Amino acid sequence: MTAQKHNEGERELRAGLYSLFATLYAQEMPQAMLQAWLKGEAQPLLQALAQDGHAEEVAAMQASLDALRQTADARLELAADYAACFLLDLKSCAPPYASCYALTPARLYGPQEQAMREQLSTHALSVSTHFPEAADHLAVQLEFLAWLIIERKDDEASRQIDELASWLPAFADKCAEVSTHYPFYPALARLLCRVLQQDKAACH
Amino acid sequence: MINNSRRTFLKGLTLASMTALIGPSLLSIGDAAAAPAAGAGAGAGAGANNDGWKMAGSHWGAFRARIAGGKVVEVRAFEHDKHPTEMLNGIIGLIYSPSRIRYPMVRLDWLKNRHRSNTAERGDNRFVRVTWDEALDLVYGEMERVQQTYGPSGLHTGLVGWRQTGQFHTCGNHMLRAVGMHGHTVTTAGDYSTGAGQVIMPYVLGSTEVYSQGTSWELILKHSKNIIFWASDPVKNLQVGWNCETHESYAYIEQLKGKIARKEIRVISIDPVRSKTQNYLACEKQYVNPMTDVALMLGIAHTLYSEKLYNKQFLDSYALGFEQFLPYLLGTAADKTAKTPEWAAAICGVPAARIRELARLMAKERTQLIFGWAIQRQQHGEQPYWMGAVLAAMLGQIGLPGGGISYAHHYSSIGVPASGAAMPGAFPLNLDAGKKPKYPSTDYKGYSAVIPCARAIDALLEPGKVIDYNGSKVKLPPYKMAIYCGSNQWHRQQDRNKMKKAFRALETVVSVDYTWTATCRFADIVLPACTQFERNDIDAYGSYSNRGVIAMHKLVDPLFHSRPDFEIFRELTRRFGRDKEYSRGMEEMEWVQQLYEQCRKENGSKFPMPAFAEFWQKGYVLFPKGKPSTRHADFREDAEINALGTPSGFIEIYSRKIANYKYPDCPGHPVWLEKNERSHGGPKSERYPLWMQSVHPDKRLHSQMCDSEPLRATYAIQGREPLFISPQDAKKRGIRHGDLLRVFNDRGQALVGAHVSADFPPGVVRLQEGAWYGPTGPEIGALDTYGDPNTLTQDIGTSRLAQAISANTCLVQVEKYTGKVPAVTAFGGPKEVKPK
Amino acid sequence: MKKIWRWLAELFSKPSTRIGLGVLVTVGFIAGILAWQGFNKAMDLTNTTEFCVSCHTMQGNQTELKPTVHGTNRSGVTPGCPDCHVPHDFSDKIARKMKASVEVWSHLTGKIGTADKFEAHRLRLAQNEWDRFKANGSKECRTCHDYSKMDFDKMRPASQEPMRGAAERDQSCMDCHKGIAHHMPDMKNSHNPAFDSLVQAADSTRIQDGNSYINALPRELYSDEALGKAAGRIEIATPLKVLKQVGDAQQIELLAWRKSKGYGRVWYSQFGMNIVVATLDKATAQDKSLVEVLESKEDPNTGLIWQKVRAVFWTKQGGVMESADPIWDVARNSYQTSCSVCHKQPDVAHFDSNTWPGLFSGMVGFTNMDKDTQALVLKYLQNHSSDFDKTAH
């Protein structure tokens, strides 16, 4: 494998990974996707992530999947955890919006939201109408990061990683405080944090 | 730059292995700002083409809002509002509140088990998000089940109170029309604000009085020599109005301040507390022990009679029953107690000499009595209002400008003359003529179809119980499902811990709101309505002055998944094929325009209004000032033709009708009745020595805006609702301003912040109603973490007559809080507090 | 156009106009036109919108028409002034034009020459047109709007029911659609337009002497057959017996209750219930030769003495109907619409007839009801209160 090809493959993998995170944060897992996870389709990814130094987070996610396999209403149970983490009011959950970590008291639609929308706009992008959310939603930011990587806008991608890395630790801490039945989402937040840190280190 | 040295990244993984786990893109090509506001856009997504100044109306007044980048960034009071309220500062915080409900949510256990869910979990449980279609299917399915299983007595549609303003979107009409198209329900009579007053006053003065236009301020300022504010705090309460508030009364109150300073008018505030009004006016204060106003009034009446200061001729011509009342006053009735100033002084704490002085003062010159509403929200709340009317009748100035009695000059700019113009109508609440509900049954199985609103919790705890109510019997219906829309039952109803227990009897609770109120947290299905600032509407400007019509421009698109109530309920009716009938085939702007044009047509050429487009662009139309008038002047002029609405047509000092009900807690004429708990030496005061008053808040509209963080930050103490306490009571307990306190009694406990204020006398504390409820857990008796006064109040009727709330009959104790401090949970969504 | 204008102005400003204005106006108008250009030509000439609005009083009317559906719409088909205001039949047309010359005169002499003055007379002018539409069943409207060609299913749901009913009754359009093209006159002091349907219903009543009826509208009572001596006022929905009919007058008998306190001017329908049926002048009420007291008893709810009374009065002929149901229909509609703007209107049978006045007067200020409608709705509430409807709580 030539270095260039290797880099291309890695670029795709990185973009794919952030897209996958975006998918997990965009909404609760639909039945089909959860089945894919439960049937082990994520195993190669999880193993690779474990080998990359995220064994602890991966173990927590694996444990969640194991438990969910034993649960009758797996989708609903995980959806309730998702709701507890992200969907209720911004006080008792871990709001997936950048604005909420920049402003005191926490408020929706802060300057970060405006900035993100403008940034998307400079690339002739916008938040899909199928996703009625503020633009500073974590899933949008991750999706955008994936797009930047694919489009080879490396400097901007790097800035986007810095931006995310500035509030994700606080976000992950919040996720850890939420009372969930499965450690899936708190572990996912820690995993994302670590992946970003790693990537950030690699970028500089 | 990407570092090429990273060799280990996801080694051996291929992209193909991930694709099944990646969902559709969240981004689309194309500039949001350039694209048309895409309906589903997330509020701010409407883009920059929406930017600029827009007009809006609210309970807090009209204002102009600047939109930039699709967001509300600035709010400025309407240029014609000369006395805007500080609460406008809370508007932006309300729209972008962290407590907004963003998605339709369903309680997980309810979703799994439906009406067989564990209802004890409510308020502490797991929710899941559902789509709008799923949510409305669930609501509709439950309505079907309840109508089929129980019939109309199984479904309760909660009283709608201070809905968001806007005549088209007024949410109660939407709920009642949509649910009414499906079937009949258990509804309520009366309201929480004036429950006792509006029942007793028709017997006495022939009208509810509490919602009647009163004597114009200019006549009061011109003719009154004395004004008595009896437990009335207009400066605090006039900040909000039922429709879009104009704040015009403040101009007159300003003039009054000048007249007091120049000693042209004498103003006395009879109140245990030094009120905001009193501080503003710098007027005289007359302290009275809490809940003993009737004793004070009897002492005054006794003086008026014994010193022959009362107007006998007026009583003979305009009133009935003084002779039946006299024996009670003079001590020849069954209780053998003359209601002398000395007798009164021992109860009310006002010296006998001062009582006589007050009587002479009132009788000497033109005296306007102005009552507030708080004193009828106590046990036997009918009595102070009735006795107030008897005093006014004895003074004989009813119907004269600047004399007589008012029960509402603190409300919605009453006292500002009506322009005479017609105001816009509203979205129809009723079914259209000739239409029947899908389930036409009116078989309530012997239960009452209408219950006094304050007894809604009793119906859950004691279904089938027969209670007295205003001369009739009510059999409490065992409703199993409740729908609340734009109303916060878990704020206005008393005694949270009783409610917690009662709500377990409910199989399904639906709440439609824009913010995570406690009512939503204790519901099974939560539907996110958008705020009034995310929809187009019109409103009356000035509920009583009818000053004009205000355009309410949509400032931003509905945030997140929220929707206007109109769309929510139209979608509900679509489920039984009645959506076209529901909406009459019209959309939002067609309705708004039609309401405007109907109003314009009614006003004709007498009050010309521009065509809709011009009005909408300008944002308002104003009408000229109306002619001043005197309350009851027509009655005084000709009592026969302009008879009062009482059974006799005259002022009824003694009501045979009420006497015939034989209610021990509301006999045939006003009486002093001891309360079941009363401070300052009354029952239970040794155990709980402090009287807690839960008045209407100064910086909220009931519970509305409590969630607006910037505004809350201006009054909260350590993040908790302030408890106002006298320096003496504070010192006695080692409390300093800013301390965290636990306020408690046998009914509940709450954490609050100490606000030590010399405005409060010993034995009196204030915890303003509308503070959000946030218990530490689902268990009965759990500590409330923010300071909702209704954690402590008692849920008993005022009497068998009105069955209204008695929130202000409440004793508590206060102590410095030393335990582990729990976080405030009031502004959070439902959450599980089980240990991990 | 200007020529006709100047000619008319000259005509009316001549000194001779002092004699017999009405005659001169009508005769002068026709004669003048005949002399001017020949009758038919004049009829055509004056039958254009341009002619109408050449007078600036009418320009305001045109301006206010513009934003309505008859002024601008998606198809661009709009009526001109004469399409609605000048009959299409030749003889009717002449009659209308003769009447119109009064309006032209009014304009020229300054009676309605300014917008303000026009407003002052708007109600009277509108009433003229409404009366005409009433008499001819809104014939001009129906040149375009034909009941037989309406597809009710295509109408808005709220319109379907009333339009079907209107078609069945062949109702005059203007009964319901007043104000559709021009601003409504100030109606605050006049009656609810829904009352017109009651007048219509009363018109078709066949009255027989000695039978009992329901009074259809509030109106004057007289003590003499010549209807010269006013005696008071009889309220809507009041039961009465027609004794005899003489020309334009009818003699009626009222049987009611009153309180002994005061002058006994206010009469009520039932013992102890404050449901007002008539209000008499002081002298009439005290006139023992007119008012016969049949019995007296104490009202247990107030302690007041009530008297059962009978009296005979005169009213204008007609104005009565067999049943009060059409009256209650109007009232129910007003109640349900006006009283549900702020909250759900209470169940009518939730309160008794003596409680309703107090509740109603406390809330009616929030509605746009005129005085007569207020009285009607209150009466409806009282007559359907728990005193009469024992089925509800």
Side-chain angles (χ1 to χ4, degrees):
Chain A
M1 211 186 272
T2 67
Q4 200 188 351
K5 264 200 168 167
H6 174 87
N7 283 346
E8 274 316 294
E10 190 175 299
R11 187 184 289 282
E12 285 185 357
L13 275 181
R14 286 176 67 225
L17 184 61
Y18 287 125
S19 274
L20 188 143
F21 274 116
T23 299
L24 290 173
Y25 282 114
Q27 58 169 340
E28 304 84 342
M29 273 207 238
Q31 188 64 33
M33 190 174 291
L34 180 60
Q35 280 314 310
W37 278 81
L38 295 181
K39 275 193 271 168
E41 287 188 30
Q43 280 320 106
L45 171 68
L46 290 174
Q47 275 161 16
L49 285 165
Q51 282 168 18
D52 267 10
H54 314 302
E56 200 183 317
E57 289 72 26
V58 167
M61 292 173 70
Q62 293 278 22
S64 302
L65 295 172
D66 289 343
L68 285 165
R69 281 188 196 100
Q70 311 300 317
T71 308
D73 299 305
R75 185 187 69 81
L76 281 179
E77 288 294 339
L78 192 59
D81 272 3
Y82 180 91
C85 286
F86 312 122
L87 299 186
L88 302 173
D89 73 291
L90 307 185
K91 284 285 175 68
S92 54
C93 71
Y97 306 98
S99 298
C100 293
Y101 298 87
L103 297 173
T104 318
R107 223 195 69 191
L108 294 164
Y109 287 95
Q112 287 69 23
E113 200 270 346
Q114 177 75 10
M116 187 63 199
R117 212 140 31 84
E118 281 163 11
Q119 204 182 346
L120 288 173
S121 176
T122 59
H123 296 290
L125 292 174
S126 61
V127 181
S128 164
T129 53
H130 301 293
F131 192 64
E133 278 291 352
D136 61 342
H137 191 285
L138 178 56
V140 175
Q141 305 233 33
L142 289 167
E143 185 85 21
F144 180 54
L145 174 57
W147 184 86
L148 290 172
I149 293 169
I150 288 292
E151 294 289 316
R152 297 160 194 274
K153 300 184 190 300
D154 293 341
D155 290 347
E156 212 177 334
S158 167
R159 283 199 299 277
Q160 177 68 12
I161 288 171
D162 289 348
E163 162 63 28
L164 280 167
S166 72
W167 61 277
L168 275 175
F171 167 75
D173 288 350
K174 276 275 214 177
C175 288
E177 286 170 21
V178 174
S179 165
T180 56
H181 280 207
Y182 309 91
F184 187 86
Y185 287 109
L188 184 71
R190 283 202 307 278
L191 178 65
L192 173 59
C193 262
R194 294 181 56 109
V195 167
L196 272 173
Q197 292 297 347
Q198 231 175 29
D199 210 4
K200 188 178 169 179
C203 287
H204 292 293
Chain B
M1 280 295 294
I2 304 290
N3 189 332
N4 289 343
S5 69
R6 182 176 52 194
R7 301 270 173 233
T8 57
F9 185 73
L10 301 180
K11 198 172 167 190
L13 196 67
T14 62
L15 186 62
S17 67
M18 284 199 280
T19 46
L21 307 176
I22 297 175
S25 176
L26 309 173
L27 299 174
S28 44
I29 310 288
D31 193 339
N49 52 3
N50 195 35
D51 287 0
W53 286 93
K54 289 175 175 262
M55 186 79 192
S58 71
H59 292 301
W60 302 278
F63 61 89
R64 294 189 183 270
R66 189 163 65 84
I67 318 299
K71 283 191 282 285
V72 184
V73 294
E74 191 182 346
V75 162
R76 264 191 218 162
F78 180 39
E79 56 271 24
H80 291 282
D81 186 345
K82 302 302 177 209
H83 299 85
T85 166
E86 174 195 355
M87 280 187 264
L88 282 184
N89 297 337
I91 297 282
I92 293 178
L94 183 149
I95 299 172
Y96 300 112
S97 157
S99 305
R100 282 289 297 263
I101 306 168
R102 289 174 288 151
Y103 318 96
M105 306 292 292
V106 178
R107 196 164 65 85
L108 179 61
D109 188 51
W110 186 91
L111 188 64
K112 287 181 175 177
N113 300 303
R114 303 295 160 98
H115 56 280
R116 292 182 202 90
S117 78
N118 178 1
T119 55
E121 276 185 6
R122 283 210 192 96
D124 170 26
N125 39 46
R126 310 180 77 205
F127 270 65
V128 288
R129 170 163 68 178
V130 292
T131 65
W132 269 109
D133 274 342
E134 287 166 333
L136 290 171
D137 284 347
L138 291 171
V139 174
Y140 176 59
E142 279 302 282
M143 284 162 60
E144 286 279 301
R145 180 184 69 81
V146 167
Q147 287 291 352
Q148 287 167 12
T149 314
Y150 305 110
S153 61
L155 177 60
H156 172 53
T157 40
L159 171 72
V160 181
W162 286 72
R163 79 286 181 262
Q164 300 190 81
T165 58
Q167 290 296 85
F168 165 58
H169 285 290
T170 184
C171 65
N173 290 25
H174 288 279
M175 170 183 75
L176 292 168
R177 180 170 166 91
V179 176
M181 282 179 160
H182 187 262
H184 295 281
T185 68
V186 173
T187 58
T188 58
D191 63 33
Y192 285 84
S193 298
T194 66
Q198 64 178 267
V199 171
I200 184 69
M201 292 323 292
Y203 289 98
V204 180
L205 289 179
S207 148
T208 62
E209 296 296 318
V210 290
Y211 297 130
S212 304
Q213 176 62 288
T215 301
S216 305
W217 276 111
E218 51 247 77
L219 296 176
I220 293 177
L221 292 174
K222 191 172 166 200
H223 297 280
S224 297
K225 289 285 174 263
N226 306 303
I227 299 175
I228 312 290
F229 285 114
W230 207 308
S232 176
D233 196 352
V235 174
K236 165 166 71 70
N237 293 321
L238 286 166
Q239 295 178 86
V240 299
W242 176 252
N243 295 92
C244 189
E245 180 51 47
T246 64
H247 303 119
E248 290 165 280
S249 295
Y250 284 100
Y252 299 106
I253 292 176
E254 226 167 59
Q255 290 179 40
L256 180 58
K257 187 181 168 73
K259 282 177 179 280
I260 294 169
R262 294 192 298 276
K263 303 205 181 309
E264 291 166 19
I265 297 183
R266 196 167 166 189
V267 174
I268 303 173
S269 167
I270 301 181
D271 202 312
V273 170
R274 195 180 296 141
S275 66
K276 193 177 182 181
T277 303
Q278 199 188 325
N279 283 330
Y280 171 80
L281 290 175
C283 66
E284 292 170 58
K285 171 185 164 61
Q286 177 54 57
Y287 169 85
V288 57
N289 280 339
M291 298 190 283
T292 65
D293 304 81
V294 172
L296 172 57
M297 288 183 230
L298 284 166
I300 293 172
H302 192 278
T303 307
L304 291 177
Y305 185 80
S306 57
E307 299 188 5
K308 298 197 168 41
L309 297 170
Y310 74 109
N311 188 332
K312 186 168 184 307
Q313 200 190 349
F314 182 86
L315 292 177
D316 287 346
S317 311
Y318 298 100
L320 282 186
F322 187 61
E323 54 284 5
Q324 283 100 323
F325 170 70
L326 264 185
Y328 173 76
L329 185 68
L330 302 179
T332 55
D335 67 344
K336 298 282 175 226
T337 309
K339 307 303 176 301
T340 60
E342 283 71 19
W343 166 85
I347 298 169
C348 71
V350 181
R354 174 67 173 161
I355 295 175
R356 290 196 170 87
E357 200 181 304
L358 284 170
R360 290 166 198 153
L361 174 85
M362 290 180 195
K364 190 179 162 205
E365 290 173 301
R366 193 64 61 81
T367 299
Q368 176 75 53
L369 302 173
I370 297 180
F371 277 66
W373 289 349
I375 53 167
Q376 49 92 57
R377 291 195 295 265
Q378 58 168 289
Q379 196 186 16
H380 318 124
E382 297 87 353
Q383 302 305 317
Y385 267 31
W386 196 350
M387 190 56 215
V390 172
L391 262 193
M394 289 177 77
L395 292 169
Q397 299 176 5
I398 290 173
L400 294 178
I405 187 164
S406 153
Y407 296 89
H409 268 80
H410 64 280
Y411 176 62
S412 292
S413 288
I414 274 179
V416 178
S419 67
M423 292 291 108
F427 181 77
L429 179 153
N430 297 301
L431 272 62
D432 290 340
K435 301 292 183 190
K436 291 259 175 307
K438 178 179 177 188
Y439 291 91
S441 167
T442 52
D443 178 10
Y444 285 82
K445 300 182 175 157
Y447 298 107
S448 294
V450 180
I451 55 175
C453 66
R455 302 278 62 82
I457 297 305
D458 285 346
L460 293 172
L461 290 170
E462 299 176 272
K465 183 182 177 184
V466 177
I467 61 166
D468 284 307
Y469 169 52
N470 200 12
S472 61
K473 299 280 181 193
V474 167
K475 190 175 182 186
L476 297 175
Y479 62 94
K480 296 292 182 191
M481 175 179 181
I483 304 179
Y484 301 99
C485 180
S487 57
N488 191 357
Q489 183 73 1
W490 283 76
H491 129 67
R492 60 193 181 181
Q493 179 75 30
Q494 283 58 53
D495 200 342
R496 292 288 163 265
N497 288 311
K498 180 176 165 185
M499 282 184 79
K500 264 188 183 172
K501 187 167 166 234
F503 254 51
R504 291 175 183 173
L506 280 170
E507 293 170 352
T508 301
V509 182
V510 179
S511 180
V512 187
D513 214 318
Y514 63 86
T515 184
W516 275 109
T517 61
T519 304
C520 292
R521 282 182 273 127
F522 280 82
D524 301 308
I525 303 173
V526 178
L527 304 179
C530 62
T531 71
Q532 63 191 57
F533 309 112
E534 294 150 54
R535 57 198 199 190
N536 292 301
D537 215 325
I538 54 171
D539 199 11
Y541 191 46
S543 296
Y544 291 84
S545 66
N546 293 6
R547 178 63 57 243
V549 180
I550 284 283
M552 297 170 67
H553 296 148
K554 183 204 265 192
L555 305 182
V556 292
D557 281 338
L559 294 191
F560 302 99
H561 291 214
S562 67
R563 289 179 177 181
D565 298 271
F566 169 60
E567 286 177 27
I568 295 171
F569 287 104
R570 180 171 58 179
E571 288 309 305
L572 181 66
T573 55
R574 195 190 299 282
R575 281 158 173 77
F576 48 103
R578 306 272 292 259
D579 53 312
K580 285 219 168 55
E581 176 195 332
Y582 175 79
S583 67
R584 294 185 178 168
M586 292 194 289
E587 296 295 330
E588 177 190 70
M589 279 313 284
E590 292 173 89
W591 272 103
V592 172
Q593 186 161 354
Q594 178 176 304
L595 290 176
Y596 179 84
E597 289 298 347
Q598 280 170 349
C599 175
R600 184 177 172 218
K601 195 166 152 183
E602 281 202 61
N603 279 320
S605 51
K606 192 167 179 192
F607 296 98
M609 295 166 69
F612 180 74
E614 188 188 333
F615 157 78
W616 193 249
Q617 211 236 327
K618 190 178 178 198
Y620 64 92
V621 50
L622 298 182
F623 302 120
K625 217 171 149 208
K627 279 200 283 278
S629 64
T630 299
R631 180 96 188 128
H632 294 312
D634 57 342
F635 167 68
R636 193 181 183 101
E637 189 186 295
D638 188 335
E640 193 172 14
I641 300 292
N642 305 314
L644 297 181
T646 57
S648 64
F650 298 95
I651 298 166
E652 297 205 5
I653 292 170
Y654 178 83
S655 167
R656 282 205 188 198
K657 203 167 164 187
I658 292 179
N660 288 342
Y661 299 156
K662 301 198 181 342
Y663 294 155
D665 47 6
C666 190
H669 59 73
V671 291
W672 157 251
L673 292 167
E674 184 57 279
K675 314 299 161 209
N676 70 351
E677 52 187 66
R678 186 171 66 79
S679 60
H680 300 84
K684 296 188 194 159
S685 60
E686 277 171 28
R687 180 137 182 240
Y688 294 109
L690 302 173
W691 176 58
M692 188 191 81
Q693 55 165 227
S694 46
V695 299
H696 186 274
D698 186 29
K699 295 191 179 188
R700 290 190 294 264
L701 164 53
H702 296 309
S703 68
Q704 292 184 52
M705 272 216 188
C706 195
D707 51 334
S708 182
E709 300 234 347
L711 191 63
R712 193 168 75 242
T714 66
Y715 60 83
I717 287 176
Q718 290 201 38
R720 324 282 154 159
E721 181 71 9
L723 178 102
F724 295 88
I725 186 167
S726 68
Q728 297 90 330
D729 286 322
K731 195 174 168 201
K732 209 185 284 179
R733 292 164 178 79
I735 291 166
R736 281 191 307 191
H737 186 85
D739 281 350
L740 208 54
L741 308 179
R742 187 176 80 102
V743 50
F744 61 97
N745 59 20
D746 291 340
R747 292 179 290 269
Q749 52 171 344
L751 275 190
V752 292
H755 188 126
V756 179
S757 163
D759 287 343
F760 291 80
V764 174
V765 295
R766 169 183 290 188
L767 194 56
Q768 299 176 107
E769 50 102 338
W772 281 25
Y773 180 56
T776 51
E779 69 279 9
I780 285 168
L783 181 68
D784 173 29
T785 60
Y786 179 70
D788 173 4
N790 283 327
T791 311
L792 303 149
T793 54
Q794 52 179 339
D795 177 22
I796 55 165
T798 50
S799 78
R800 288 166 176 80
L801 188 83
Q803 291 288 5
I805 65 166
S806 301
N808 284 326
T809 299
C810 177
L811 296 189
V812 297
Q813 181 56 290
V814 170
E815 65 184 20
K816 224 168 137 166
Y817 186 70
T818 49
K820 188 168 171 282
V821 179
V824 174
T825 64
F827 308 98
K831 83 172 175 181
E832 216 182 15
V833 290
K834 262 183 228 162
K836 281 190 204 178
Chain C
M1 201 58 45
K2 286 274 156 61
K3 282 180 197 164
I4 298 180
W5 201 220
R6 264 201 305 277
W7 170 77
L8 282 170
E10 269 170 36
L11 176 69
F12 285 115
S13 58
K14 276 178 192 164
S16 66
T17 53
R18 249 182 248 142
I19 49 150
L21 285 181
V23 176
L24 182 130
V25 163
T26 39
V27 175
F29 187 40
I30 293 169
I33 286 170
L34 282 170
W36 180 251
Q37 276 195 338
F39 185 77
N40 278 315
K41 182 96 191 213
M43 284 300 272
D44 287 346
L45 204 54
T46 55
N47 217 28
T48 62
T49 295
E50 288 74 25
F51 172 78
C52 305
V53 300
S54 64
C55 139
H56 56 80
T57 307
M58 285 290 161
Q59 281 159 11
N61 302 48
Q62 194 189 31
T63 310
E64 66 187 42
L65 175 76
K66 245 177 207 153
T68 75
V69 72
H70 289 102
T72 340
N73 55 49
R74 59 179 187 276
S75 65
V77 181
T78 61
C81 310
D83 292 322
C84 302
H85 296 290
V86 180
H88 303 149
D89 288 356
F90 191 71
S91 56
D92 291 346
K93 197 184 272 189
I94 294 177
R96 174 72 187 102
K97 291 219 166 180
M98 283 169 71
K99 231 182 150 193
S101 58
V102 179
E103 287 148 28
V104 176
W105 161 245
S106 298
H107 172 75
L108 292 171
T109 55
K111 199 169 176 188
I112 52 174
T114 66
D116 276 356
K117 285 179 184 165
F118 182 83
E119 286 310 330
H121 292 274
R122 187 190 278 271
L123 177 59
R124 184 179 53 79
L125 295 167
Q127 196 60 53
N128 284 344
E129 279 303 88
W130 292 339
D131 290 349
R132 195 174 59 77
F133 281 122
K134 166 136 289 224
N136 74 5
S138 303
K139 204 166 166 188
E140 289 75 37
C141 308
R142 289 158 78 171
T143 315
C144 299
H145 303 277
D146 188 340
Y147 279 130
S148 67
K149 289 172 189 152
M150 287 180 187
D151 182 347
F152 298 104
D153 292 331
K154 283 190 178 156
M155 293 178 180
R156 283 203 297 249
S159 312
Q160 293 175 12
E161 269 325 292
M163 283 308 295
R164 276 204 180 93
E168 271 169 33
R169 292 188 299 274
D170 195 28
Q171 200 169 354
S172 172
C173 311
M174 210 49 65
D175 284 359
C176 305
H177 294 282
K178 292 189 181 74
I180 195 163
H182 302 292
H183 291 173
M184 279 294 272
D186 171 24
M187 302 286 284
K188 271 274 150 77
N189 299 316
S190 58
H191 69 256
N192 179 342
F195 283 21
D196 289 349
S197 65
L198 300 178
V199 175
Q200 215 171 25
D203 283 348
S204 57
T205 307
R206 282 187 48 209
I207 304 169
Q208 286 188 309
D209 292 353
N211 281 6
S212 293
Y213 298 93
I214 302 292
N215 187 42
L217 281 176
R219 56 184 167 149
E220 300 299 310
L221 289 172
Y222 301 91
S223 51
D224 62 335
E225 185 186 318
L227 307 183
K229 293 182 206 155
R233 182 177 133 111
I234 180 169
E235 296 299 332
I236 194 165
T238 297
L240 54 85
K241 190 197 266 183
V242 173
L243 300 178
K244 63 179 171 193
Q245 305 167 70
V246 184
D248 280 348
Q250 69 193 2
Q251 192 184 38
I252 62 165
E253 180 193 76
L254 280 185
L255 201 58
W257 289 84
R258 71 179 187 185
K259 296 167 189 170
S260 66
K261 185 167 169 150
Y263 299 103
R265 282 177 293 167
V266 184
W267 288 23
Y268 306 95
S269 66
Q270 314 273 334
F271 169 69
M273 295 185 197
N274 296 321
I275 307 174
V276 179
V277 293
T279 312
L280 305 183
D281 297 343
K282 208 183 277 181
T284 310
Q286 297 283 296
D287 186 343
K288 289 200 173 73
S289 68
L290 202 65
V291 179
E292 184 187 355
V293 177
L294 303 174
E295 72 173 284
S296 291
K297 57 179 174 174
E298 188 190 280
D299 169 23
N301 276 325
T302 61
L304 294 177
I305 304 296
W306 283 58
Q307 299 174 328
K308 190 173 190 179
V309 282
R310 179 167 61 204
V312 171
F313 298 103
W314 289 88
T315 65
K316 274 196 192 134
Q317 207 274 327
V320 297
M321 43 220 264
E322 310 260 358
S323 146
D325 290 347
I327 297 176
W328 301 145
D329 287 345
V330 170
R332 189 181 301 111
N333 190 25
S334 279
Y335 174 63
Q336 290 184 348
T337 310
S338 297
C339 299
S340 63
V341 167
C342 307
H343 53 72
K344 185 166 171 58
Q345 75 282 4
D347 267 353
V348 183
H350 194 76
F351 302 103
D352 66 29
S353 54
N354 283 358
T355 301
W356 265 119
L359 291 180
F360 189 70
S361 70
M363 303 307 289
V364 74
F366 291 105
T367 71
N368 298 332
M369 290 183 202
D370 61 63
K371 285 260 179 268
D372 280 342
T373 308
Q374 290 182 19
L376 166 65
V377 170
L378 176 58
K379 200 155 205 194
Y380 160 76
L381 296 171
Q382 292 182 299
N383 276 290
H384 295 79
S385 67
S386 56
D387 290 326
F388 300 92
D389 180 354
K390 296 290 180 196
T391 56
H393 137 75

